[in-house]
Amino acid sequence: MTSFKLAKPISWSLGLAVLAALIAVAAKLSLTGGELLPGVDGAYYWVQVRSLLEDFTLAFDDVPLVLWIQALISVLVGDIELGVRISDALLPALSAIPIYLILRTAKSIWVPALGILAVLLHPTQLYFFTGDFIKNSAAIPLVFCVGWLLLTWSSRSKLKTTVYLLICLSALALSHFGTLLLAVMLIAIWLVFIIRNKPRVFWIKSVAVVLASLGGVLLALALLVPARYERLVEFVTQPSTIFANPAWEMLFGPGLGVVFGGRTDVVMIFSLVVGQIGSIALGFVLWKIRKTLSDSSLGLASAGLISAFLLSSPLIGMEWANRLMALSFVPLAIAAMVIWLAAERPAMKLVPALLAIASLITSSVLMFAGLRQPIMTDEAYKDLKVVAEEFDFPENSIVVARHGVEFLVAWKMEVHVVQETSYQDVNLDNYDAVYYLEQVGSSQGAGVPYEPYISGSKPSTGEALGKPPTGKPPIGPKPTGYSPMDPKVSDFSLQGDLVYENQSFTLTQLR
């Protein structure tokens, strides 16, 4: 008689973790099944990948790693749009690997799977990042890798761990600078806890390493994406702008959330509330169990809670709050996992468990709300493609369009484009013809209801290109970054000769 033995618990745990990651990938893909990606900036990635594949250069100045990965996926599947959709679902799911490595020592085999689901199905991952902030979400797995390396600092070779950390930071520098700064923040705060009892010389060396790393980050930003560097300098030199139009107005100001007028994204309200309350609640638990933690675990949990509390602060101005709040769930999740593993009493595990459950329930509710819509309706997009088919743009032309639409124009019409809010600030003398594409009629304003607040992840206010006639980027100032607080979506008039119109669009030749 043949006897069967049950698989080891670790095999069950790993199997459940893989299943959780597959569920998350499927959920992401279900949100991008339409012809257009959700949000505003989806076509940005299509244009970038096409430019890489055809000209081996980026249409927009940006950090290239995620875009090159998207290009590789697009080559493998034979379609750029599909390749970008796959990357949108697959790259964030890589967070499952470091999350499993962190939680695999949990006594219950379902804990790693629950942790993976809570992170990958977090409302921010599904309804803020999807289709819009693909680089942001694709870089997040590296932050979880940093968290795992810091957590295991005491039990691993210091030299190897340092090398691995530098590799993660280098990859982040080539993927997304905002997420890189989050990782640097975690390491810096964690380092304070690690060296707090060390000699002064050790302090000096450690601080020097951190400052040198920060200097390297700033240098890379200045070289790779100078417009982002200038915006960061402006942010630092004008700190009063940090608190202009504070995020708490989402809760108490006019037009509360998407339900009462579309002032802002309901996901950001969730991130604000959970980030603040969750950080405080987990901080209380961490204080209670602090004596049971190693220095590396205590430092990592503390760094996660401090980072999450700061990033989700309701005092930060809306120009910056959305992108900071969008990242706050990452350090909060890292801290929650560390606390779950360290807490021995069930009562102490309650807070991290409730945070995970709140994430899953909220995402489930929003799944039926149709929260994330494309920049325009399917009918309007059909009309845009008709413009591309029926109107031949002269060589060396540029098209002015509203934010988000300009990426679709570059994608479908293969001409240079500029966002309308930057039209008056950009020198277009090098172009022979300048056009203005305006969305009109009932389609105007269709799609994403709170566009001014969810935009801004891409360098969208300078010049872009679809497939330039010369094979080179257009001449003119580099993109300066979109301000999500800028209300001037169509707050000016462009005069010219009407050369084409259909039900959704008019095309005016400005010169």
Side-chain angles (χ1 to χ4, degrees), residues 180-191:
L180 170 63
L181 293 176
L182 169 60
V184 171
M185 179 188 299
L186 283 173
I187 294 174
I189 299 174
W190 169 85
L191 187 61

Side-chain angles (χ1 to χ4, degrees), residues 283-362:
F284 175 78
V285 177
L286 181 61
W287 176 260
K288 289 289 187 180
I289 65 172
R290 67 190 185 282
K291 294 182 180 179
T292 65
L293 294 171
S294 65
D295 286 346
S296 57
S297 297
L298 178 61
L300 180 59
S302 301
L305 295 181
I306 292 171
S307 299
F309 187 78
L310 293 176
L311 292 175
S312 63
S313 172
L315 301 178
I316 299 176
M318 279 304 306
E319 181 173 348
W320 299 91
N322 273 3
R323 34 197 130 174
L324 297 180
M325 287 180 185
L327 290 174
S328 65
F329 82 96
V330 178
L332 188 66
I334 292 174
M337 288 188 285
V338 174
I339 291 172
W340 174 277
L341 292 175
E344 298 180 354
R345 293 190 299 163
M348 294 298 176
K349 296 179 181 289
L350 181 61
V351 175
L354 288 177
L355 290 176
I357 293 171
S359 171
L360 294 174
I361 291 177
T362 302

Side-chain angles (χ1 to χ4, degrees), residues 16 36 177 228-229 266 285 288 306 324 373 403 470:
L16 290 173
L36 290 173
F177 276 104
R228 301 287 181 89
Y229 175 76
V266 67
V285 177
K288 289 289 187 180
I306 292 171
L324 297 180
Q373 299 296 325
H403 178 53
T470 61

Side-chain angles (χ1 to χ4, degrees), residues 247-456:
W248 60 263
E249 292 182 357
M250 288 192 297
L251 295 175
F252 306 108
L256 173 60
V258 296
V259 178
F260 298 102
R263 176 174 169 80
T264 189
D265 192 338
V266 67
V267 174
M268 290 301 97
I269 296 178
F270 176 83
S271 298
L272 186 157
V273 174
V274 171
Q276 294 292 287
I277 296 177
S279 297
I280 295 172
L282 286 175
F284 175 78
V285 177
L286 181 61
W287 176 260
K288 289 289 187 180
I289 65 172
R290 67 190 185 282
K291 294 182 180 179
T292 65
L293 294 171
S294 65
D295 286 346
S296 57
S297 297
L298 178 61
L300 180 59
S302 301
L305 295 181
I306 292 171
S307 299
F309 187 78
L310 293 176
L311 292 175
S312 63
S313 172
L315 301 178
I316 299 176
M318 279 304 306
E319 181 173 348
W320 299 91
N322 273 3
R323 34 197 130 174
L324 297 180
M325 287 180 185
L327 290 174
S328 65
F329 82 96
V330 178
L332 188 66
I334 292 174
M337 288 188 285
V338 174
I339 291 172
W340 174 277
L341 292 175
E344 298 180 354
R345 293 190 299 163
M348 294 298 176
K349 296 179 181 289
L350 181 61
V351 175
L354 288 177
L355 290 176
I357 293 171
S359 171
L360 294 174
I361 291 177
T362 302
S363 288
S364 299
V365 171
L366 296 178
M367 180 72 73
F368 300 99
L371 188 64
R372 297 286 279 138
Q373 299 296 325
I375 184 67
M376 63 179 65
T377 63
D378 291 340
E379 292 74 16
Y381 187 46
K382 290 179 182 178
D383 286 341
L384 182 69
K385 290 188 288 186
V386 170
V387 178
E389 294 170 358
E390 296 185 352
F391 188 86
D392 293 326
F393 289 94
E395 189 172 331
N396 198 32
S397 298
I398 188 167
V399 177
V400 183
R402 72 183 176 97
H403 178 53
V405 175
E406 88 272 34
F407 298 136
L408 288 171
V409 170
W411 172 245
K412 298 305 299 184
M413 303 178 190
E414 300 188 353
V415 296
H416 295 206
V417 296
V418 63
Q419 187 183 142
E420 64 179 12
T421 53
S422 297
Y423 172 70
Q424 298 173 336
D425 301 323
V426 176
N427 180 10
L428 303 181
D429 292 341
N430 294 302
Y431 293 94
D432 298 328
V434 180
Y435 295 87
Y436 175 45
L437 183 75
E438 183 178 11
Q439 192 172 354
V440 296
S442 60
S443 69
Q444 178 64 35
V448 182
Y450 30 86
E451 174 190 341
Y453 284 103
I454 66 170
S455 305

